[in-house]
Tab-separated table of all heavy atoms in Angstrom:
chain	number	residue	atom	x	y	z
A	11	MET	N	-57.291	-100.753	-60.469
A	11	MET	CA	-56.846	-99.774	-59.497
A	11	MET	C	-56.339	-100.470	-58.227
A	11	MET	O	-55.280	-100.138	-57.732
A	11	MET	CB	-58.016	-98.828	-59.201
A	11	MET	CG	-57.705	-97.808	-58.171
A	11	MET	SD	-56.583	-96.593	-58.833
A	11	MET	CE	-56.384	-95.537	-57.475
A	12	PHE	N	-57.124	-101.406	-57.719
A	12	PHE	CA	-56.718	-102.063	-56.476
A	12	PHE	C	-55.505	-102.957	-56.674
A	12	PHE	O	-54.691	-103.097	-55.768
A	12	PHE	CB	-57.877	-102.851	-55.868
A	12	PHE	CG	-58.914	-101.973	-55.250
A	12	PHE	CD1	-60.153	-101.818	-55.831
A	12	PHE	CD2	-58.632	-101.270	-54.088
A	12	PHE	CE1	-61.099	-100.997	-55.267
A	12	PHE	CE2	-59.562	-100.439	-53.513
A	12	PHE	CZ	-60.814	-100.300	-54.107
A	13	ILE	N	-55.377	-103.542	-57.853
A	13	ILE	CA	-54.204	-104.377	-58.126
A	13	ILE	C	-52.944	-103.522	-58.054
A	13	ILE	O	-51.928	-103.921	-57.492
A	13	ILE	CB	-54.336	-105.047	-59.513
A	13	ILE	CG1	-55.542	-105.965	-59.552
A	13	ILE	CG2	-53.069	-105.800	-59.871
A	13	ILE	CD1	-55.479	-107.108	-58.563
A	14	ARG	N	-53.016	-102.323	-58.627
A	14	ARG	CA	-51.865	-101.421	-58.600
A	14	ARG	C	-51.555	-100.989	-57.169
A	14	ARG	O	-50.397	-100.903	-56.776
A	14	ARG	CB	-52.129	-100.211	-59.470
A	14	ARG	CG	-50.926	-99.306	-59.576
A	14	ARG	CD	-51.108	-98.305	-60.634
A	14	ARG	NE	-51.125	-99.004	-61.911
A	14	ARG	CZ	-51.116	-98.412	-63.081
A	14	ARG	NH1	-51.095	-97.116	-63.155
A	14	ARG	NH2	-51.133	-99.099	-64.192
A	15	LEU	N	-52.581	-100.708	-56.365
A	15	LEU	CA	-52.363	-100.320	-54.970
A	15	LEU	C	-51.761	-101.468	-54.166
A	15	LEU	O	-50.901	-101.253	-53.315
A	15	LEU	CB	-53.666	-99.848	-54.329
A	15	LEU	CG	-54.174	-98.491	-54.809
A	15	LEU	CD1	-55.529	-98.194	-54.177
A	15	LEU	CD2	-53.184	-97.400	-54.495
A	16	ILE	N	-52.210	-102.691	-54.435
A	16	ILE	CA	-51.622	-103.857	-53.764
A	16	ILE	C	-50.160	-103.984	-54.153
A	16	ILE	O	-49.293	-104.250	-53.318
A	16	ILE	CB	-52.403	-105.145	-54.123
A	16	ILE	CG1	-53.817	-105.074	-53.549
A	16	ILE	CG2	-51.693	-106.383	-53.617
A	16	ILE	CD1	-53.872	-105.000	-52.041
A	17	TYR	N	-49.853	-103.778	-55.436
A	17	TYR	CA	-48.462	-103.829	-55.891
A	17	TYR	C	-47.620	-102.764	-55.194
A	17	TYR	O	-46.529	-103.034	-54.712
A	17	TYR	CB	-48.400	-103.652	-57.410
A	17	TYR	CG	-47.001	-103.371	-57.908
A	17	TYR	CD1	-46.047	-104.382	-57.921
A	17	TYR	CD2	-46.632	-102.105	-58.330
A	17	TYR	CE1	-44.758	-104.135	-58.361
A	17	TYR	CE2	-45.356	-101.842	-58.771
A	17	TYR	CZ	-44.413	-102.861	-58.783
A	17	TYR	OH	-43.146	-102.602	-59.200
A	18	TYR	N	-48.107	-101.525	-55.143
A	18	TYR	CA	-47.374	-100.450	-54.476
A	18	TYR	C	-47.144	-100.786	-53.012
A	18	TYR	O	-46.063	-100.577	-52.473
A	18	TYR	CB	-48.136	-99.124	-54.565
A	18	TYR	CG	-48.229	-98.531	-55.942
A	18	TYR	CD1	-49.267	-97.688	-56.265
A	18	TYR	CD2	-47.287	-98.811	-56.922
A	18	TYR	CE1	-49.367	-97.119	-57.519
A	18	TYR	CE2	-47.384	-98.259	-58.185
A	18	TYR	CZ	-48.431	-97.409	-58.473
A	18	TYR	OH	-48.520	-96.854	-59.713
A	19	GLY	N	-48.174	-101.297	-52.362
A	19	GLY	CA	-48.055	-101.605	-50.940
A	19	GLY	C	-47.089	-102.732	-50.650
A	19	GLY	O	-46.343	-102.691	-49.677
A	20	THR	N	-47.088	-103.749	-51.497
A	20	THR	CA	-46.225	-104.903	-51.234
A	20	THR	C	-44.808	-104.691	-51.739
A	20	THR	O	-43.840	-104.965	-51.031
A	20	THR	CB	-46.816	-106.174	-51.872
A	20	THR	OG1	-47.031	-105.948	-53.255
A	20	THR	CG2	-48.103	-106.575	-51.198
A	21	ALA	N	-44.664	-104.191	-52.964
A	21	ALA	CA	-43.331	-104.079	-53.566
A	21	ALA	C	-42.571	-102.847	-53.092
A	21	ALA	O	-41.384	-102.928	-52.791
A	21	ALA	CB	-43.454	-104.063	-55.077
A	22	HIS	N	-43.227	-101.722	-53.027
A	22	HIS	CA	-42.522	-100.471	-52.731
A	22	HIS	C	-42.562	-100.095	-51.254
A	22	HIS	O	-41.640	-99.460	-50.755
A	22	HIS	CB	-43.101	-99.328	-53.560
A	22	HIS	CG	-42.872	-99.496	-55.027
A	22	HIS	ND1	-41.647	-99.285	-55.603
A	22	HIS	CD2	-43.703	-99.877	-56.028
A	22	HIS	CE1	-41.733	-99.524	-56.897
A	22	HIS	NE2	-42.970	-99.891	-57.182
A	23	LEU	N	-43.653	-100.439	-50.565
A	23	LEU	CA	-43.774	-100.054	-49.156
A	23	LEU	C	-43.419	-101.190	-48.199
A	23	LEU	O	-43.496	-101.026	-46.986
A	23	LEU	CB	-45.200	-99.563	-48.869
A	23	LEU	CG	-45.640	-98.342	-49.689
A	23	LEU	CD1	-47.101	-98.026	-49.402
A	23	LEU	CD2	-44.768	-97.144	-49.389
A	24	ASN	N	-43.046	-102.343	-48.747
A	24	ASN	CA	-42.609	-103.506	-47.961
A	24	ASN	C	-43.633	-103.936	-46.922
A	24	ASN	O	-43.307	-104.194	-45.775
A	24	ASN	CB	-41.258	-103.221	-47.284
A	24	ASN	CG	-40.171	-102.979	-48.286
A	24	ASN	OD1	-40.145	-103.601	-49.331
A	24	ASN	ND2	-39.275	-102.069	-47.971
A	25	ARG	N	-44.893	-104.010	-47.342
A	25	ARG	CA	-45.968	-104.497	-46.476
A	25	ARG	C	-46.451	-105.839	-46.999
A	25	ARG	O	-46.323	-106.155	-48.172
A	25	ARG	CB	-47.155	-103.515	-46.470
A	25	ARG	CG	-46.816	-102.104	-46.123
A	25	ARG	CD	-46.563	-101.967	-44.655
A	25	ARG	NE	-46.166	-100.593	-44.350
A	25	ARG	CZ	-46.509	-99.975	-43.267
A	25	ARG	NH1	-47.225	-100.565	-42.365
A	25	ARG	NH2	-46.094	-98.750	-43.047
A	26	ARG	N	-47.005	-106.656	-46.099
A	26	ARG	CA	-47.602	-107.920	-46.526
A	26	ARG	C	-48.923	-107.636	-47.242
A	26	ARG	O	-49.581	-106.630	-46.997
A	26	ARG	CB	-47.865	-108.809	-45.322
A	26	ARG	CG	-46.610	-109.294	-44.633
A	26	ARG	CD	-46.920	-110.335	-43.570
A	26	ARG	NE	-48.228	-110.204	-42.965
A	26	ARG	CZ	-48.460	-109.591	-41.800
A	26	ARG	NH1	-47.488	-109.071	-41.105
A	26	ARG	NH2	-49.685	-109.520	-41.323
A	27	GLU	N	-49.328	-108.530	-48.128
A	27	GLU	CA	-50.556	-108.309	-48.896
A	27	GLU	C	-51.783	-108.219	-47.991
A	27	GLU	O	-52.662	-107.382	-48.200
A	27	GLU	CB	-50.744	-109.428	-49.921
A	27	GLU	CG	-51.924	-109.183	-50.828
A	27	GLU	CD	-52.050	-110.213	-51.929
A	27	GLU	OE1	-51.126	-111.014	-52.123
A	27	GLU	OE2	-53.099	-110.197	-52.593
A	28	GLU	N	-51.843	-109.051	-46.960
A	28	GLU	CA	-52.974	-109.005	-46.033
A	28	GLU	C	-53.022	-107.654	-45.317
A	28	GLU	O	-54.088	-107.105	-45.080
A	28	GLU	CB	-52.873	-110.124	-44.990
A	28	GLU	CG	-52.905	-111.520	-45.570
A	28	GLU	CD	-51.537	-111.983	-46.064
A	28	GLU	OE1	-50.511	-111.449	-45.607
A	28	GLU	OE2	-51.504	-112.871	-46.926
A	29	GLU	N	-51.847	-107.141	-44.969
A	29	GLU	CA	-51.774	-105.858	-44.285
A	29	GLU	C	-52.257	-104.726	-45.194
A	29	GLU	O	-52.945	-103.811	-44.746
A	29	GLU	CB	-50.332	-105.601	-43.843
A	29	GLU	CG	-50.140	-104.416	-42.961
A	29	GLU	CD	-48.695	-104.256	-42.529
A	29	GLU	OE1	-47.842	-105.073	-42.934
A	29	GLU	OE2	-48.425	-103.312	-41.789
A	30	VAL	N	-51.920	-104.805	-46.476
A	30	VAL	CA	-52.343	-103.779	-47.425
A	30	VAL	C	-53.855	-103.839	-47.631
A	30	VAL	O	-54.525	-102.815	-47.685
A	30	VAL	CB	-51.593	-103.932	-48.761
A	30	VAL	CG1	-52.105	-102.942	-49.797
A	30	VAL	CG2	-50.104	-103.746	-48.561
A	31	TRP	N	-54.425	-105.048	-47.704
A	31	TRP	CA	-55.869	-105.185	-47.893
A	31	TRP	C	-56.633	-104.613	-46.707
A	31	TRP	O	-57.712	-104.043	-46.870
A	31	TRP	CB	-56.260	-106.647	-48.077
A	31	TRP	CG	-56.155	-107.126	-49.487
A	31	TRP	CD1	-55.271	-108.036	-49.970
A	31	TRP	CD2	-56.955	-106.717	-50.603
A	31	TRP	NE1	-55.473	-108.213	-51.320
A	31	TRP	CE2	-56.493	-107.420	-51.727
A	31	TRP	CE3	-58.007	-105.825	-50.749
A	31	TRP	CZ2	-57.056	-107.259	-52.984
A	31	TRP	CZ3	-58.568	-105.657	-52.012
A	31	TRP	CH2	-58.089	-106.376	-53.108
A	32	LEU	N	-56.093	-104.761	-45.497
A	32	LEU	CA	-56.802	-104.304	-44.306
A	32	LEU	C	-56.512	-102.848	-43.959
A	32	LEU	O	-57.134	-102.280	-43.073
A	32	LEU	CB	-56.438	-105.201	-43.114
A	32	LEU	CG	-56.879	-106.651	-43.252
A	32	LEU	CD1	-56.337	-107.477	-42.095
A	32	LEU	CD2	-58.389	-106.748	-43.342
A	33	MET	N	-55.586	-102.226	-44.667
A	33	MET	CA	-55.200	-100.844	-44.400
A	33	MET	C	-56.269	-99.887	-44.947
A	33	MET	O	-56.791	-100.115	-46.032
A	33	MET	CB	-53.854	-100.585	-45.101
A	33	MET	CG	-53.194	-99.301	-44.769
A	33	MET	SD	-51.623	-99.158	-45.655
A	33	MET	CE	-50.694	-100.498	-44.989
A	34	PRO	N	-56.607	-98.830	-44.202
A	34	PRO	CA	-57.537	-97.835	-44.764
A	34	PRO	C	-56.953	-97.218	-46.039
A	34	PRO	O	-55.745	-97.017	-46.145
A	34	PRO	CB	-57.654	-96.785	-43.667
A	34	PRO	CG	-57.241	-97.480	-42.416
A	34	PRO	CD	-56.243	-98.521	-42.825
A	35	LEU	N	-57.810	-96.931	-46.992
A	35	LEU	CA	-57.369	-96.445	-48.294
A	35	LEU	C	-56.612	-95.126	-48.180
A	35	LEU	O	-55.584	-94.935	-48.829
A	35	LEU	CB	-58.565	-96.290	-49.227
A	35	LEU	CG	-58.248	-95.840	-50.645
A	35	LEU	CD1	-57.342	-96.849	-51.326
A	35	LEU	CD2	-59.518	-95.625	-51.419
A	36	GLY	N	-57.088	-94.213	-47.355
A	36	GLY	CA	-56.413	-92.925	-47.192
A	36	GLY	C	-55.015	-93.079	-46.641
A	36	GLY	O	-54.084	-92.382	-47.060
A	37	TYR	N	-54.839	-93.996	-45.698
A	37	TYR	CA	-53.517	-94.241	-45.106
A	37	TYR	C	-52.562	-94.811	-46.151
A	37	TYR	O	-51.406	-94.392	-46.243
A	37	TYR	CB	-53.656	-95.190	-43.920
A	37	TYR	CG	-52.371	-95.480	-43.204
A	37	TYR	CD1	-51.665	-94.459	-42.578
A	37	TYR	CD2	-51.856	-96.761	-43.150
A	37	TYR	CE1	-50.482	-94.725	-41.916
A	37	TYR	CE2	-50.675	-97.033	-42.494
A	37	TYR	CZ	-49.996	-96.016	-41.875
A	37	TYR	OH	-48.814	-96.280	-41.235
A	38	LEU	N	-53.052	-95.732	-46.973
A	38	LEU	CA	-52.223	-96.311	-48.031
A	38	LEU	C	-51.804	-95.245	-49.043
A	38	LEU	O	-50.642	-95.185	-49.453
A	38	LEU	CB	-52.970	-97.439	-48.733
A	38	LEU	CG	-52.245	-98.117	-49.898
A	38	LEU	CD1	-50.953	-98.765	-49.420
A	38	LEU	CD2	-53.143	-99.128	-50.559
A	39	LEU	N	-52.740	-94.381	-49.420
A	39	LEU	CA	-52.409	-93.329	-50.378
A	39	LEU	C	-51.436	-92.317	-49.781
A	39	LEU	O	-50.553	-91.810	-50.473
A	39	LEU	CB	-53.685	-92.637	-50.856
A	39	LEU	CG	-54.615	-93.508	-51.696
A	39	LEU	CD1	-55.886	-92.752	-52.020
A	39	LEU	CD2	-53.940	-94.005	-52.945
A	40	ASP	N	-51.567	-92.012	-48.485
A	40	ASP	CA	-50.606	-91.124	-47.826
A	40	ASP	C	-49.216	-91.739	-47.792
A	40	ASP	O	-48.220	-91.060	-48.058
A	40	ASP	CB	-51.050	-90.804	-46.400
A	40	ASP	CG	-52.184	-89.818	-46.346
A	40	ASP	OD1	-52.419	-89.126	-47.358
A	40	ASP	OD2	-52.835	-89.733	-45.292
A	41	LEU	N	-49.130	-93.029	-47.476
A	41	LEU	CA	-47.840	-93.709	-47.472
A	41	LEU	C	-47.204	-93.704	-48.856
A	41	LEU	O	-46.002	-93.487	-49.003
A	41	LEU	CB	-47.986	-95.155	-46.993
A	41	LEU	CG	-48.182	-95.370	-45.503
A	41	LEU	CD1	-48.427	-96.847	-45.237
A	41	LEU	CD2	-46.980	-94.892	-44.732
A	42	TRP	N	-48.025	-93.916	-49.881
A	42	TRP	CA	-47.512	-93.940	-51.247
A	42	TRP	C	-47.002	-92.554	-51.640
A	42	TRP	O	-45.960	-92.418	-52.276
A	42	TRP	CB	-48.582	-94.445	-52.208
A	42	TRP	CG	-48.134	-94.426	-53.626
A	42	TRP	CD1	-48.693	-93.740	-54.651
A	42	TRP	CD2	-47.005	-95.106	-54.187
A	42	TRP	NE1	-47.998	-93.954	-55.803
A	42	TRP	CE2	-46.952	-94.795	-55.554
A	42	TRP	CE3	-46.043	-95.961	-53.668
A	42	TRP	CZ2	-45.972	-95.286	-56.402
A	42	TRP	CZ3	-45.062	-96.456	-54.519
A	42	TRP	CH2	-45.035	-96.123	-55.863
A	43	GLU	N	-47.725	-91.495	-51.277
A	43	GLU	CA	-47.283	-90.142	-51.599
A	43	GLU	C	-45.989	-89.804	-50.865
A	43	GLU	O	-45.073	-89.200	-51.448
A	43	GLU	CB	-48.376	-89.125	-51.251
A	43	GLU	CG	-48.030	-87.714	-51.626
A	43	GLU	CD	-47.845	-87.503	-53.122
A	43	GLU	OE1	-48.479	-88.207	-53.930
A	43	GLU	OE2	-47.050	-86.613	-53.482
A	44	CYS	N	-45.864	-90.195	-49.610
A	44	CYS	CA	-44.617	-89.972	-48.863
A	44	CYS	C	-43.461	-90.723	-49.512
A	44	CYS	O	-42.345	-90.197	-49.612
A	44	CYS	CB	-44.776	-90.413	-47.415
A	44	CYS	SG	-45.864	-89.366	-46.458
A	45	HIS	N	-43.708	-91.943	-49.966
A	45	HIS	CA	-42.674	-92.733	-50.637
A	45	HIS	C	-42.225	-92.042	-51.928
A	45	HIS	O	-41.030	-91.965	-52.214
A	45	HIS	CB	-43.199	-94.130	-50.943
A	45	HIS	CG	-42.279	-94.951	-51.784
A	45	HIS	ND1	-41.117	-95.489	-51.291
A	45	HIS	CD2	-42.340	-95.304	-53.089
A	45	HIS	CE1	-40.495	-96.143	-52.260
A	45	HIS	NE2	-41.231	-96.050	-53.361
A	46	LYS	N	-43.183	-91.522	-52.698
A	46	LYS	CA	-42.837	-90.843	-53.950
A	46	LYS	C	-42.010	-89.588	-53.681
A	46	LYS	O	-41.057	-89.318	-54.400
A	46	LYS	CB	-44.095	-90.487	-54.728
A	46	LYS	CG	-44.791	-91.683	-55.322
A	46	LYS	CD	-45.860	-91.329	-56.325
A	46	LYS	CE	-46.828	-90.300	-55.858
A	46	LYS	NZ	-47.921	-90.032	-56.798
A	47	GLN	N	-42.357	-88.833	-52.639
A	47	GLN	CA	-41.587	-87.636	-52.322
A	47	GLN	C	-40.201	-87.998	-51.812
A	47	GLN	O	-39.223	-87.334	-52.140
A	47	GLN	CB	-42.328	-86.786	-51.291
A	47	GLN	CG	-43.566	-86.132	-51.838
A	47	GLN	CD	-44.314	-85.354	-50.793
A	47	GLN	OE1	-43.797	-85.062	-49.721
A	47	GLN	NE2	-45.555	-85.009	-51.094
A	48	PHE	N	-40.089	-89.053	-51.028
A	48	PHE	CA	-38.802	-89.481	-50.480
A	48	PHE	C	-37.855	-89.937	-51.574
A	48	PHE	O	-36.658	-89.643	-51.541
A	48	PHE	CB	-39.021	-90.595	-49.453
A	48	PHE	CG	-37.758	-91.091	-48.826
A	48	PHE	CD1	-37.104	-90.347	-47.864
A	48	PHE	CD2	-37.211	-92.304	-49.210
A	48	PHE	CE1	-35.933	-90.796	-47.287
A	48	PHE	CE2	-36.036	-92.769	-48.647
A	48	PHE	CZ	-35.396	-92.011	-47.678
A	49	THR	N	-38.372	-90.646	-52.574
A	49	THR	CA	-37.528	-91.154	-53.648
A	49	THR	C	-37.319	-90.137	-54.759
A	49	THR	O	-36.547	-90.385	-55.677
A	49	THR	CB	-38.118	-92.436	-54.247
A	49	THR	OG1	-39.439	-92.161	-54.706
A	49	THR	CG2	-38.121	-93.569	-53.240
A	50	GLY	N	-38.010	-88.996	-54.708
A	50	GLY	CA	-37.833	-87.964	-55.711
A	50	GLY	C	-38.725	-88.101	-56.922
A	50	GLY	O	-38.569	-87.363	-57.897
A	51	ILE	N	-39.663	-89.032	-56.902
A	51	ILE	CA	-40.595	-89.190	-58.018
A	51	ILE	C	-41.540	-87.993	-58.076
A	51	ILE	O	-41.853	-87.488	-59.144
A	51	ILE	CB	-41.388	-90.508	-57.884
A	51	ILE	CG1	-40.430	-91.694	-57.938
A	51	ILE	CG2	-42.459	-90.613	-58.947
A	51	ILE	CD1	-41.077	-93.014	-57.608
A	52	ALA	N	-41.985	-87.523	-56.918
A	52	ALA	CA	-42.904	-86.382	-56.845
A	52	ALA	C	-42.322	-85.327	-55.922
A	52	ALA	O	-41.528	-85.625	-55.035
A	52	ALA	CB	-44.258	-86.838	-56.329
A	53	GLN	N	-42.735	-84.108	-56.137
A	53	GLN	CA	-42.319	-82.999	-55.288
A	53	GLN	C	-43.503	-82.569	-54.433
A	53	GLN	O	-44.651	-82.634	-54.887
A	53	GLN	CB	-41.852	-81.817	-56.147
A	53	GLN	CG	-40.658	-82.139	-57.019
A	53	GLN	CD	-39.425	-82.454	-56.203
A	53	GLN	OE1	-39.183	-81.866	-55.169
A	53	GLN	NE2	-38.637	-83.409	-56.678
A	54	PRO	N	-43.252	-82.138	-53.199
A	54	PRO	CA	-44.366	-81.648	-52.381
A	54	PRO	C	-45.001	-80.416	-53.025
A	54	PRO	O	-44.325	-79.627	-53.692
A	54	PRO	CB	-43.717	-81.315	-51.040
A	54	PRO	CG	-42.261	-81.248	-51.294
A	54	PRO	CD	-41.972	-82.063	-52.492
A	55	LYS	N	-46.305	-80.248	-52.829
A	55	LYS	CA	-47.007	-79.130	-53.443
A	55	LYS	C	-46.563	-77.803	-52.870
A	55	LYS	O	-46.512	-76.802	-53.573
A	55	LYS	CB	-48.509	-79.294	-53.261
A	55	LYS	CG	-49.060	-80.455	-54.036
A	55	LYS	CD	-50.548	-80.554	-53.932
A	55	LYS	CE	-51.004	-81.859	-54.508
A	55	LYS	NZ	-51.650	-81.797	-55.717
A	56	LYS	N	-46.220	-77.784	-51.579
A	56	LYS	CA	-45.820	-76.535	-50.947
A	56	LYS	C	-44.817	-76.838	-49.847
A	56	LYS	O	-45.051	-77.705	-49.010
A	56	LYS	CB	-47.051	-75.842	-50.355
A	56	LYS	CG	-46.767	-74.506	-49.741
A	56	LYS	CD	-48.049	-73.864	-49.234
A	56	LYS	CE	-47.753	-72.527	-48.614
A	56	LYS	NZ	-48.953	-71.905	-48.058
A	57	GLU	N	-43.712	-76.160	-49.852
A	57	GLU	CA	-42.713	-76.284	-48.789
A	57	GLU	C	-43.078	-75.307	-47.669
A	57	GLU	O	-43.278	-74.117	-47.930
A	57	GLU	CB	-41.327	-75.949	-49.319
A	57	GLU	CG	-40.760	-76.975	-50.260
A	57	GLU	CD	-40.248	-78.212	-49.555
A	57	GLU	OE1	-39.881	-78.113	-48.368
A	57	GLU	OE2	-40.221	-79.261	-50.195
A	58	VAL	N	-43.176	-75.797	-46.456
A	58	VAL	CA	-43.537	-74.960	-45.316
A	58	VAL	C	-42.475	-75.138	-44.246
A	58	VAL	O	-42.092	-76.254	-43.912
A	58	VAL	CB	-44.922	-75.367	-44.758
A	58	VAL	CG1	-45.301	-74.514	-43.575
A	58	VAL	CG2	-45.975	-75.264	-45.834
A	59	SER	N	-42.001	-74.021	-43.721
A	59	SER	CA	-41.039	-74.090	-42.626
A	59	SER	C	-41.763	-73.811	-41.308
A	59	SER	O	-42.926	-73.393	-41.290
A	59	SER	CB	-39.915	-73.069	-42.828
A	59	SER	OG	-40.409	-71.763	-42.668
A	60	ILE	N	-41.081	-74.008	-40.221
A	60	ILE	CA	-41.680	-73.801	-38.905
A	60	ILE	C	-42.019	-72.320	-38.690
A	60	ILE	O	-42.963	-71.979	-37.991
A	60	ILE	CB	-40.767	-74.353	-37.788
A	60	ILE	CG1	-41.492	-74.419	-36.454
A	60	ILE	CG2	-39.512	-73.509	-37.653
A	60	ILE	CD1	-42.571	-75.440	-36.390
A	61	ASP	N	-41.258	-71.435	-39.316
A	61	ASP	CA	-41.543	-69.995	-39.204
A	61	ASP	C	-42.859	-69.618	-39.890
A	61	ASP	O	-43.497	-68.645	-39.507
A	61	ASP	CB	-40.401	-69.184	-39.803
A	61	ASP	CG	-39.104	-69.377	-39.027
A	61	ASP	OD1	-39.184	-69.605	-37.795
A	61	ASP	OD2	-38.029	-69.303	-39.650
A	62	ASP	N	-43.248	-70.377	-40.908
A	62	ASP	CA	-44.524	-70.119	-41.573
A	62	ASP	C	-45.711	-70.588	-40.739
A	62	ASP	O	-46.811	-70.058	-40.845
A	62	ASP	CB	-44.574	-70.818	-42.932
A	62	ASP	CG	-43.503	-70.311	-43.880
A	62	ASP	OD1	-43.112	-69.139	-43.738
A	62	ASP	OD2	-43.078	-71.092	-44.746
A	63	VAL	N	-45.485	-71.602	-39.900
A	63	VAL	CA	-46.572	-72.194	-39.126
A	63	VAL	C	-46.798	-71.444	-37.817
A	63	VAL	O	-47.943	-71.139	-37.461
A	63	VAL	CB	-46.277	-73.679	-38.850
A	63	VAL	CG1	-47.341	-74.311	-37.986
A	63	VAL	CG2	-46.143	-74.447	-40.162
A	64	ILE	N	-45.726	-71.138	-37.108
A	64	ILE	CA	-45.843	-70.476	-35.805
A	64	ILE	C	-45.555	-68.982	-35.994
A	64	ILE	O	-44.504	-68.609	-36.505
A	64	ILE	CB	-44.836	-71.076	-34.796
A	64	ILE	CG1	-45.154	-72.551	-34.596
A	64	ILE	CG2	-44.885	-70.326	-33.477
A	64	ILE	CD1	-44.191	-73.272	-33.707
A	65	PRO	N	-46.473	-68.120	-35.573
A	65	PRO	CA	-46.247	-66.690	-35.725
A	65	PRO	C	-45.066	-66.212	-34.882
A	65	PRO	O	-44.723	-66.799	-33.860
A	65	PRO	CB	-47.537	-66.038	-35.230
A	65	PRO	CG	-48.501	-67.146	-35.004
A	65	PRO	CD	-47.765	-68.423	-35.012
A	66	THR	N	-44.449	-65.128	-35.310
A	66	THR	CA	-43.262	-64.627	-34.600
A	66	THR	C	-43.602	-64.008	-33.259
A	66	THR	O	-42.749	-63.918	-32.381
A	66	THR	CB	-42.532	-63.578	-35.470
A	66	THR	OG1	-43.459	-62.543	-35.803
A	66	THR	CG2	-42.005	-64.216	-36.730
A	67	TRP	N	-44.833	-63.566	-33.058
A	67	TRP	CA	-45.198	-62.923	-31.792
A	67	TRP	C	-45.444	-63.916	-30.661
A	67	TRP	O	-45.656	-63.518	-29.538
A	67	TRP	CB	-46.428	-62.024	-31.978
A	67	TRP	CG	-47.607	-62.725	-32.606
A	67	TRP	CD1	-47.891	-62.787	-33.930
A	67	TRP	CD2	-48.634	-63.449	-31.931
A	67	TRP	NE1	-49.033	-63.508	-34.147
A	67	TRP	CE2	-49.520	-63.926	-32.915
A	67	TRP	CE3	-48.897	-63.745	-30.601
A	67	TRP	CZ2	-50.637	-64.674	-32.610
A	67	TRP	CZ3	-50.023	-64.487	-30.307
A	67	TRP	CH2	-50.866	-64.941	-31.302
A	68	LEU	N	-45.385	-65.213	-30.929
A	68	LEU	CA	-45.569	-66.212	-29.859
A	68	LEU	C	-44.330	-66.413	-29.060
A	68	LEU	O	-43.268	-66.509	-29.382
A	68	LEU	CB	-46.035	-67.538	-30.426
A	68	LEU	CG	-47.516	-67.693	-30.561
A	68	LEU	CD1	-47.872	-69.061	-31.130
A	68	LEU	CD2	-48.264	-67.518	-29.288
């Protein structure tokens, strides 16, 4: 598992190996998910617009 995460961090996210080892796991997984969505490998679970977040009465 960690070998694959190191590979993702170094090859796909353009980070140094030392930087990937010292990165919090949640941050690395968030970066990987953003990379997958950006390249079209994965789709976001839910599309939200600003109108959905801020009520109209504000």
Side-chain angles (χ1 to χ4, degrees):
M11 178 72 180
F12 287 109
I13 298 298
R14 185 168 293 188
L15 288 176
I16 294 297
Y17 167 72
Y18 292 154
T20 55
H22 294 285
L23 300 175
N24 297 324
R25 306 285 177 144
R26 293 188 331 262
E27 185 175 350
E28 298 83 22
E29 188 178 1
V30 175
W31 274 112
L32 296 174
M33 189 179 297
L35 182 61
Y37 182 62
L38 178 61
L39 293 176
D40 285 342
L41 284 175
W42 177 240
E43 183 63 30
C44 290
H45 172 73
K46 289 192 310 184
Q47 290 177 15
F48 181 75
T49 57
I51 298 171
Q53 299 295 323
K55 292 184 190 252
K56 183 178 180 183
E57 289 284 334
V58 180
S59 69
I60 192 69
D61 296 329
D62 298 331
V63 177
I64 298 176
T66 56
W67 53 268
L68 272 180

